């Protein structure tokens, strides 16, 4: 849990928290493993990895954007690396078992970079934003092979909805940024649910809220598409969703 008001902590939802014969004084809450970088907060971004670990990127280090990265293994061991550019609330997506694409949240420096667990610092992507658009919010979706990723949604700082997307190709070793397909159904505050196996779904959103659910399809890794996934029974905005 990355919180604005508390130090980061873990919540164990998989087992009984307070067995009557041996109650735990702190319920389900476990402390985060030692070694997580300073400044981890709600300004950091966490991502579950396919190996069962978690990577936590950036945040607010002493009132400034953080360039720190913490890789937390399933056994709790933590490894620290660094970004090439300090970031607050970046977008993340896993490319392979040890590589994560990091986009945005910067003030100067690289717009996007690839960070690897085994390398001390991230590798900046030479290309900048498509058409210079500054995007607030949005989400990254990767194709199942990790060769490409799509940045979808969000708004400009003056709150214009963005139908434009950015397509990252040639990843993870030589990522380039280009123009992706327009998301013609761009809407306010949808719920983005990436699939760890690739692609994902975009649920609801809008003002007023809508029932639509869109699927990000990577049948062709170099040419992702938006497909209808069926409608919700009830209109929703800002919902929580989980791919089953």
């Amino acid at each position: 849990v990355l919180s604005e008001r508390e130090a980061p902590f873990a919540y164990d939802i998989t087992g009984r928290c307070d067995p009557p014969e041996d109650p735990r004084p702190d319920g389900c809450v476990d402390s985060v493993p030692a070694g997580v970088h300073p400044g981890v907060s709600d300004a950091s971004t966490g991502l579950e990895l396919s190996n069962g670990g978690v990577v936590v990127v950036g945040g607010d280090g002493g009132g400034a954007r953080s360039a720190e990265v913490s890789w937390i293994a399933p056994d709790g061991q933590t490894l620290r690396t660094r970004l090439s550019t300090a970031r607050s609330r970046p977008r993340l997506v896993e490319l392979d078992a040890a590589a994560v694409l990091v986009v945005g949240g910067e003030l100067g420096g690289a717009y996007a970079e690839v960070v690897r667990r085994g390398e001390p610092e991230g590798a900046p992507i030479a290309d900048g934003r498509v058409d210079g658009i500054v995007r607030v919010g949005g989400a990254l979706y990767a194709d199942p092979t990790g060769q490409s990723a799509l940045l979808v949604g969000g708004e400009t700082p003056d709150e214009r909805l963005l139908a434009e997307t950015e397509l990252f190709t040639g990843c993870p070793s030589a990522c380039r940024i280009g123009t992706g397909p327009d998301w013609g159904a761009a809407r306010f505050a949808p719920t983005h649910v990436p699939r760890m196996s690739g692609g994902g779904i975009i649920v609801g959103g809008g003002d007023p809220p809508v029932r639509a659910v869109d699927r990000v399809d990577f049948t062709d890794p170099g040419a992702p598409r938006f497909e209808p996934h069926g409608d919700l029974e009830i209109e929703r905005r800002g919902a929580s969703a989980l791919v089953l």
Side-chain angles (χ1 to χ4, degrees):
V1 178
L2 306 178
S3 169
E4 178 183 8
R5 299 186 177 183
E6 300 179 78
F9 62 92
Y11 185 89
D12 180 7
I13 200 171
T14 62
R16 295 191 62 177
C17 303
D18 294 309
E21 67 279 6
D22 186 21
R24 292 172 51 180
D26 54 357
C28 287
V29 175
D30 289 322
S31 61
V32 164
V36 175
H37 62 270
V40 169
S41 68
D42 64 331
S44 309
T45 303
L47 178 69
E48 181 185 4
L49 302 173
S50 57
N51 66 0
V54 173
V55 61
V56 181
V57 178
D60 179 4
R65 283 170 167 76
S66 171
E68 299 285 338
V69 180
S70 294
W71 304 81
I72 306 172
D75 64 1
Q77 296 297 310
T78 302
L79 174 71
R80 296 258 293 275
T81 64
R82 289 184 61 82
L83 299 163
S84 70
T85 299
R87 303 177 190 273
S88 174
R89 295 184 175 88
R91 276 84 77 192
L92 313 179
V93 71
E94 184 179 22
L95 299 174
D96 63 31
V100 173
L101 175 63
V102 183
V103 180
E106 84 294 353
L107 279 178
Y111 167 55
E113 59 186 289
V114 175
V115 294
R116 290 185 173 277
R117 179 181 173 87
E119 297 181 3
E121 185 169 292
I125 297 173
D127 301 331
R129 294 180 174 88
V130 171
D131 297 329
I133 293 173
V134 176
R135 186 182 307 259
V136 179
L140 280 164
Y141 295 87
D143 85 271
T145 69
Q147 299 175 58
S148 60
L150 189 68
L151 178 58
V152 181
E155 308 167 30
T156 61
D158 60 0
E159 300 184 346
R160 176 178 72 84
L161 288 173
L162 286 170
E164 299 91 337
T165 69
E166 293 180 338
L167 181 60
F168 296 77
T169 57
C171 297
S173 59
C175 290
R176 299 298 305 271
I177 307 175
T179 301
D182 277 5
W183 181 35
R187 48 193 183 261
F188 175 72
T191 300
H192 291 281
V193 191
R195 293 177 185 266
M196 294 185 72
S197 59
I201 60 173
I202 306 173
V203 180
D207 188 13
V210 300
R211 300 183 182 188
V213 179
D214 303 322
R215 185 174 73 254
V216 181
D217 181 87
F218 274 99
T219 301
D220 179 350
R225 301 177 301 173
F226 296 100
E227 299 285 350
H229 192 71
D231 290 340
L232 300 168
E233 181 68 21
I234 301 295
E235 299 88 348
R236 299 179 190 275
R237 180 178 67 227
S240 294
L242 174 70
V243 175
L244 297 176

